[in-house]
Amino acid sequence: MTRPSSDQIWQWLDTVPDPEIPVISLVDLGVIRGVEWNGDVLTVAVTPTYSGCPATTIINLDIETALRDKGIEKLELKRQLSPAWTTDWLSDKGRAKLEDYGIAPPQPAGGPDRCPNCHSGNVTKVSQFGSTPCKAHWRCQDCLEPFDYFKCI
Amino acid sequence: MSTPLKRDEAFLQFLLRMGDNTLILGHRVSEWCGHAPVLEEDIALANTALDLIGQTQFWLGLAGEVQGEGKSADDIAFLRDVWDFRNLLLVEVPNGDFGHTLMRQFLFDAWHSIQLGRLLKSSDARVAAIAEKTAKEVAYHLERSADTVVGLGDGSEESRRRMQEALDYLWPYVGEMFQSDDVDAAMVAAGIAPDPASLRDEYDALISRVLAGATLTIPDSRFGHKGGRTGKMHTEHLGHLLTQMQWLQRAYPGANW
């Protein structure tokens, strides 16, 4: 096969869903840090979100499966710790999808600006820890719905 | 006359100290899973444990690399016995009640956050990268444990009494964090890690501020139990912990999935 371009690889990776929040892709999440051909070996640099996130191994497996399905035979996944992952790397597309899904996207202020369900700004923190390491647990004081907030890190 | 430690030997010891601290504390905190007083705290404890165990994979992974015997982080975590562990005694003491667990967490988080701040400037790029990654997580561990210590210390009569008891019990385990030996001297010389003793002033300032807010009194004594980070004398608790943590590898050596 002819060697697919890096742009093509990025597009393929943009169709691989995050295992915990399947509405956003791994590219939206900002964990893919580089795609590079070294001869006939494709190297993909991946950074973990949280050190202990159990999704990390699944993410690597999903990348491998997706690229092998596209015919990539020689693949190397490289763990890249620095620079450390930050929620600033979430794509705008990803942020919009998170809110549609009911998860408030991260805000520089350190808390959600509005309820992802009714869009009221009257929200309160229940706990700094939510259903996964990357999320905090908040509640809307108007519609009374609890919701996840993607923590800023 | 003893010869100075070789750099790589000392580096390995340093990495085991970092990784064993997060491993053993991570395991201790995970013991709360399903037992915390309220659901939110249960999730918070489980998430903190996960972070710590994830951080362990970085430290012990690098330890295996430096050691050069082809060992993985899992090999190092599950195939050593008590005398090979290099964690502080503080992190192996049993959980006690919820307040006791959070006091231990706070005393550790305060040290951990200062230590990682210094390691950002490590001459070893791999150490600096791990510090950069993990310092972000430890910042919110500290925020939570400090808030909880203040909430319970400056809380009801009962919660205050329990928090003071926890502080009195755990205080003699604090001093070990700041003891230096030839491993530390080699790390300082190589620019890899700071002298533990140099962290004490910043640590005292941080915990004094929080514990004053919690209306708790820091004990006068500077007596410190020691032997964990050197591996000379662990408490009897570590062996019991390992029988649980390493149960699978002990019952089914080499098991894999």
Side-chain angles (χ1 to χ4, degrees):
Chain A
M1 68 182 275
T2 54
R3 214 176 72 173
S5 69
S6 295
D7 282 351
Q8 179 65 68
I9 307 283
W10 278 102
Q11 279 177 29
W12 286 339
L13 291 173
D14 200 21
T15 63
V16 182
D18 172 76
E20 287 282 353
I21 312 166
V23 290
I24 61 170
S25 78
L26 295 181
V27 174
D28 288 329
L29 188 63
V31 295
I32 312 283
R33 302 316 301 160
V35 167
E36 193 185 34
W37 284 100
N38 295 306
D40 60 349
V41 180
L42 177 69
T43 303
V44 178
V46 186
T47 197
T49 51
Y50 281 72
S51 302
C53 185
T56 306
T57 44
I58 310 291
I59 285 175
N60 285 344
L61 189 67
D62 289 350
I63 292 172
E64 203 174 329
T65 309
L67 294 179
R68 293 219 187 279
D69 283 352
K70 296 289 183 187
I72 308 279
E73 280 163 10
K74 293 186 181 170
L75 176 66
E76 185 191 52
L77 294 181
K78 194 176 76 181
R79 186 184 73 193
Q80 185 175 318
L81 285 187
S82 179
W85 180 78
T86 158
T87 38
D88 295 347
W89 293 345
L90 277 169
S91 70
D92 288 340
K93 166 166 76 84
R95 295 173 62 90
K97 283 183 176 172
L98 277 179
E99 192 173 25
D100 282 348
Y101 189 58
I103 299 172
Q107 302 294 341
D113 59 348
R114 62 181 189 180
C115 165
N117 303 302
C118 75
H119 294 179
S120 158
N122 189 10
V123 293
T124 183
K125 181 162 85 177
V126 177
S127 169
Q128 198 180 358
F129 293 83
S131 57
T132 62
C134 55
K135 287 176 270 169
H137 185 188
W138 284 64
R139 191 164 78 125
C140 176
Q141 300 285 70
D142 284 333
C143 74
L144 302 180
E145 283 290 326
F147 64 89
D148 268 335
Y149 163 64
F150 209 106
K151 279 188 289 214
C152 232
I153 192 170
Chain B
M1 207 179 121
S2 64
T3 48
L5 270 179
K6 286 204 187 75
R7 184 183 168 282
D8 276 359
E9 279 171 33
F11 193 18
L12 173 62
Q13 290 301 312
F14 164 75
L15 293 167
L16 291 175
R17 288 172 179 182
M18 292 303 294
D20 286 345
N21 277 338
T22 50
L23 174 64
I24 299 302
L25 185 59
H27 183 83
R28 272 288 182 232
V29 176
S30 80
E31 291 172 358
W32 273 100
C33 197
H35 301 280
V38 290
L39 182 61
E40 286 76 10
E41 291 305 330
D42 204 284
I43 293 170
L45 286 160
N47 274 318
T48 304
L50 260 181
D51 279 344
L52 291 168
I53 292 166
Q55 295 173 6
T56 304
Q57 289 179 336
F58 301 146
W59 292 120
L60 295 188
L62 183 53
E65 208 177 303
V66 168
Q67 190 180 31
E69 294 175 11
K71 286 184 183 152
S72 69
D74 278 357
D75 292 335
I76 296 176
F78 295 117
L79 304 178
R80 287 180 302 156
D81 212 336
V82 173
W83 45 82
D84 297 321
F85 277 77
R86 296 292 180 265
N87 56 281
L88 297 163
L89 299 177
L90 174 74
V91 300
E92 69 193 43
V93 295
N95 287 332
D97 62 20
F98 177 74
H100 187 109
T101 295
L102 265 295
M103 178 62 80
R104 182 187 61 197
Q105 190 71 35
F106 168 65
L107 294 171
F108 179 78
D109 290 343
W111 171 82
H112 202 194
S113 68
I114 297 167
Q115 168 81 341
L116 292 173
R118 302 284 181 93
L119 292 179
L120 289 174
K121 291 174 284 242
S122 173
S123 63
D124 187 285
R126 297 165 298 182
V127 170
I130 297 174
E132 182 191 343
K133 175 79 196 158
T134 57
K136 288 177 146 196
E137 294 160 359
V138 171
Y140 73 77
H141 293 174
L142 176 62
E143 193 183 318
R144 166 173 173 271
S145 62
D147 281 356
T148 314
V149 162
V150 171
L152 291 173
D154 188 17
S156 68
E157 213 172 290
E158 170 75 3
S159 70
R160 185 179 180 284
R161 178 184 64 76
R162 289 198 189 203
M163 292 310 273
Q164 185 63 54
E165 278 175 13
L167 179 58
D168 293 347
Y169 178 82
L170 293 167
W171 186 249
Y173 293 97
V174 166
E176 191 186 11
M177 297 169 177
F178 308 103
Q179 281 165 3
S180 308
D181 62 8
D182 51 353
V183 169
D184 301 298
M187 290 298 92
V188 172
I192 292 175
D195 177 7
S198 72
L199 274 53
R200 181 96 214 204
D201 287 348
E202 198 178 336
Y203 182 85
D204 283 344
L206 197 166
I207 65 161
S208 301
R209 197 174 63 241
V210 172
L211 293 173
T215 72
L216 299 174
T217 310
I218 297 176
D220 262 340
S221 165
R222 281 245 168 169
F223 166 76
H225 296 294
K226 59 185 179 201
R229 69 197 300 276
T230 59
K232 286 206 177 90
M233 179 92 70
H234 281 282
T235 68
E236 68 271 33
H237 307 298
L238 182 60
H240 291 273
L241 181 151
L242 295 184
T243 60
Q244 302 238 320
M245 190 181 85
Q246 301 177 330
W247 176 83
L248 194 103
Q249 284 299 325
R250 290 179 184 214
Y252 304 97
N256 213 331
W257 68 88

